[in-house]
């Protein structure tokens, strides 16, 4: 599985962005899909994930971000609203199997990342 993320950019605080991640290869619908992010000087952290039956969010983005997927288009989305400067990071999409959805260890495939910058 190869993953290609896009949609990052520069936005003012309070604004919105939608990230997309297109997967190539077979079996997209069977994978849990997730977004992680890494800010400069920090560890990569979980943002949101979605499987066939459930979704999961980091506390820091609950109520502001929404993850969704389109299995016909092999695409996962991250709608980000009410963005804050602390959301500035490189966002990575990932695909994997297993539980828990928020665990980095279940994801075997990673995209190249897309930069989101939120100005104050």
């Amino acid at each position: 599985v190869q993953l290609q993320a896009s949609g990052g950019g520069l936005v003012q605080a309070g604004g919105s962005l939608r990230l997309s991640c297109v997967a190539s290869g077979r079996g997209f619908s069977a994978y849990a899909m997730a977004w992680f992010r890494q800010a400069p000087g920090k560890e990569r952290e979980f943002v949101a994930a979605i499987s066939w039956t459930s979704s999961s969010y980091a506390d820091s983005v609950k109520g502001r971000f929404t993850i969704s997927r389109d299995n016909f288009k092999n695409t996962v989305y991250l709608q980000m609203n009410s963005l804050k400067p602390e959301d500035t990071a490189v966002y990575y999409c990932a695909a994997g199997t297993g539980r828990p959805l928020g665990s980095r260890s279940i994801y075997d495939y990673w995209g190249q990342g897309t930069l989101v910058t939120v100005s104050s």
Side-chain angles (χ1 to χ4, degrees):
V1 175
Q2 292 186 322
L3 304 174
Q4 180 72 40
S6 62
L10 173 64
V11 63
Q12 288 187 331
S16 299
L17 280 175
R18 188 177 81 156
L19 306 183
S20 300
C21 176
V22 180
S24 60
R26 299 174 66 87
F28 173 81
S29 61
Y31 287 102
M33 299 297 299
W35 290 95
F36 287 74
R37 67 186 181 187
Q38 189 167 16
K42 294 188 176 181
E43 296 286 320
R44 191 171 299 190
E45 65 176 2
F46 170 72
V47 176
I50 187 168
S51 68
W52 261 112
T53 58
S54 63
S55 58
S56 178
Y57 294 90
D59 288 343
S60 59
V61 306
K62 280 181 181 176
R64 300 189 298 123
F65 291 11
T66 302
I67 190 169
S68 62
R69 65 190 296 163
D70 184 334
N71 290 333
F72 292 103
K73 295 182 178 180
N74 282 11
T75 302
V76 62
Y77 304 98
L78 185 68
Q79 178 66 44
M80 305 185 295
N81 298 328
S82 302
L83 282 160
K84 304 175 181 180
E86 51 263 45
D87 294 318
T88 295
V90 177
Y91 284 70
Y92 298 90
C93 61
T97 57
R99 296 277 175 169
L101 293 178
S103 172
R104 186 174 169 178
S105 65
I106 75 165
Y107 296 98
D108 300 311
Y109 305 100
W110 294 83
Q112 86 290 358
T114 185
L115 176 62
V116 172
T117 304
V118 185
S119 63
S120 58

